[in-house]
Amino acid sequence: MALQKAWTPKLALDLAGGTTVTLSPVTLDGKAPSQEALDQAVNILRNRVNGSGLSDAEVAKTGDNIVISVPGAGQKETVERVGKTAELRFRQVLAMEATQLPAELQTEAPKPSGSPSATPTGSPAPSGRPSATVSPKPSPTGKALSQALTAPTPTPTPSANATSTPAPSGTPVPSQQPQQQPQGELYGSTEGVSPETLKAFQALDCLDPNKRGQGIQDDPNKQFAACSDDGSAKYILDVAKVVGTDIDTASAGIPQGRTEWIVQLSFKGNGPAEWSKLTTKAYNSQAPRNQVAVVLDGMVITAPQIINPIPGGQAEITGGFTQETATTLADQLKYGSLPLKFNLSSAVTVSSTLGADQLEGGIIAGLIGLALVVLYCLFYYRGLGIVAVLSLVVATVITYQAVVVLGAGANFRLSLPHIIGLIVSIGITADSFIVYFERIRDEMKEGRRTLRAAVEVAWVRARRTILIADAVMFICAVVLYFLAVGGVAGFAFAMGLTTLIDIVVVFMFTKPLIALLARLKFFSRGHKLSGLDAERMADHHHTPATTTPQEA
């Protein structure tokens, strides 16, 4: 069963069903959202569910709502994929309070650290949040201490830190295992904190997973109180100096020489300058204001200490990621922060019953078209028609395998427009054979060459025509793919794919096969059923039959 599934193409929404989600926008002032904001949200969501353009997911605006249709996905998966607003903020920590010890420390006594403390003597010990260093080995405290936001680093060594420049002499280096802040005690000063933010901070209940504020639409221009994503701490945070829209690119991977998955960020516009100012300000502050919190959808996912200012507009996020979680976060950040917050209005599972009938009809239509082309080639070209039939079979097998591989590697899903494009391509593929066959007949008609010589001379002339025709078709497909969306883009993709396959088949299979058959007497002596007999070529050119030197 697993093997059969591995060699079966993925089907799109119209053929396999899926989930349709309706999102309703919510604004801070309660007014109707602007059309510009809605259009931007549609583009971001379209990239999020169909970033490669191959999955056939659809995003459309209906009034003030956005309707998203994702093929082959369950309701829970789809809602998690599109429902998160991925509003990213980088905020300086003003004060914090430990609400509980991480689960790992509740069952395992802390071990003394062999490295110096991150805090000057006499200062309160910071919370077990991450520091901006690369630990040569996983921290005993697990995720709570493994997260960090740093400058990109070369292959790490046991003594390397994650900042872009070495720490000045006398600057304390953060411990690989910071001490824990006593539960319920405020760490840091509330100087400069607005009364509203302090009140919200005191009202936060981070111990309850349902009350940690996930999904809250925070105002980047105001101070903010937030829980950590694991509920182990709550923070008073300054205004956001860098936001998600300042991010240029985000990617997930394992850097050379390291073993953990990370998310790498680069900033654009004013982002690099603001990022440098933010890390410089944090570096020059006392703990805990030497930390920068990364707030995602209202919760702090990490709050690393800044050892040195980080210029250059680049950063890394680590956090005990798996490949799946790192890729998911990178995708959400890469496609930008939504300009609006959305509430889920409905999530409906779409049946594939109608799609099964359409798929069956599409397959029947394709088989009928293929059969007509085969009959035409055999009737008109006789023996040469066998070459065309075998070439079509090879092209069909390669196309099928390409669809399967793209489905596994790029989430390509076969839809009705794709099937239409594949059916139309049958004629395009057959046209390449016809151009070559006619060139061979022209050379044989002249009566000055043997079949083997005619095959080679005709190929030199025919391949240019084939390449030009396929190049024009491929350019049209590319332009249509990038200018269109939905079904039209799917049709264009199928046309472009089969055009490339046509070139491969003609060059790597059709021509070598004809060159091989030219050595057989059945073809070289112009047998009546070969398609190269003198009488048939004479009828084709409307001239009397001629006798070749070979026949003489």
Side-chain angles (χ1 to χ4, degrees), residues 33-115:
S34 66
Q35 292 303 307
E36 181 181 359
L38 282 175
D39 291 338
Q40 183 182 356
V42 168
N43 291 330
I44 292 172
L45 287 169
R46 182 178 289 123
N47 284 328
R48 195 178 289 180
V49 300
N50 193 22
S52 64
L54 304 180
S55 69
D56 204 52
E58 297 181 356
V59 180
K61 183 175 63 175
T62 305
D64 287 341
N65 295 331
I66 295 179
V67 179
I68 306 166
S69 300
V70 181
Q75 286 192 14
K76 182 178 180 181
E77 177 186 348
T78 303
V79 170
E80 290 179 350
R81 191 175 182 184
V82 304
K84 292 184 177 180
T85 57
E87 293 177 338
L88 187 74
R89 321 284 195 210
F90 294 88
R91 297 174 178 268
Q92 183 181 11
V93 175
L94 300 180
M96 60 180 294
E97 177 183 307
T99 57
Q100 63 177 3
L101 293 178
E104 294 86 349
L105 295 184
Q106 293 177 8
T107 57
E108 180 181 348
K111 299 177 182 179
S113 171
S115 57

Side-chain angles (χ1 to χ4, degrees), residues 216-230:
I216 289 179
Q217 189 178 23
D218 58 312
D219 189 338
N221 298 314
K222 295 182 179 180
Q223 294 177 344
F224 184 61
C227 295
S228 62
D229 57 352
D230 60 3

Side-chain angles (χ1 to χ4, degrees), residues 298-538:
M299 291 194 300
V300 176
I301 59 173
T302 181
Q305 298 174 8
I306 303 301
I307 302 175
N308 284 311
I310 305 177
Q314 294 184 330
E316 295 176 354
I317 298 178
T318 64
F321 290 116
T322 63
Q323 179 178 0
E324 180 180 0
T325 56
T327 303
T328 298
L329 177 58
D331 285 345
Q332 290 176 335
L333 302 181
K334 177 170 57 179
Y335 296 130
S337 297
L338 288 175
L340 299 168
K341 178 177 175 58
F342 289 90
N343 287 335
L344 177 66
S345 296
S346 65
V348 181
T349 300
V350 180
S351 171
S352 62
T353 304
L354 179 60
D357 296 336
Q358 294 174 333
L359 178 61
E360 181 180 354
I363 293 176
I364 292 175
L367 292 176
I368 292 175
L370 184 61
L372 290 176
V373 172
V374 168
L375 290 176
Y376 172 81
C377 290
L378 292 177
F379 176 77
Y380 192 76
Y381 291 104
R382 298 187 181 182
L384 283 178
I386 296 176
V387 178
V389 172
L390 292 177
S391 298
L392 284 172
V393 171
V394 172
T396 301
V397 172
I398 294 177
T399 301
Y400 183 85
Q401 294 301 320
V403 170
V404 172
V405 171
L406 285 172
N411 199 31
F412 173 77
R413 291 182 176 272
L414 198 62
S415 65
L416 281 177
H418 291 129
I419 293 177
I420 294 172
L422 297 178
I423 293 174
V424 172
S425 69
I426 296 174
I428 298 173
T429 304
D431 183 63
S432 298
F433 311 147
I434 292 173
V435 170
Y436 188 22
F437 295 162
E438 291 300 320
R439 285 292 187 182
I440 294 175
R441 283 185 164 188
D442 288 341
E443 294 299 324
M444 293 296 294
K445 166 67 172 59
E446 297 297 329
R448 295 189 297 270
R449 294 185 176 91
T450 63
L451 176 59
R452 293 175 63 179
V455 165
E456 297 303 326
V457 174
W459 172 246
V460 174
R461 297 180 179 180
R463 68 186 179 189
R464 180 181 179 184
T465 303
I466 293 172
L467 287 174
I468 291 175
D470 283 344
V472 171
M473 183 61 64
F474 185 75
I475 291 173
C476 292
V478 170
V479 172
L480 189 61
Y481 175 78
F482 283 105
L483 294 182
V485 295
V488 178
F491 174 82
F493 179 83
M495 291 287 289
L497 175 65
T498 51
T499 299
L500 295 177
I501 292 175
D502 173 48
I503 295 176
V504 172
V505 171
V506 171
F507 276 73
M508 305 301 294
F509 181 80
T510 306
K511 193 273 176 181
L513 180 59
I514 292 181
L516 182 63
L517 294 179
R519 300 172 182 268
L520 302 180
K521 294 181 180 180
F522 178 81
F523 288 96
S524 62
R525 293 187 177 181
H527 190 280
K528 187 175 182 180
L529 296 179
S530 67
L532 295 171
D533 57 291
E535 179 182 358
R536 189 164 188 80
M537 287 191 292

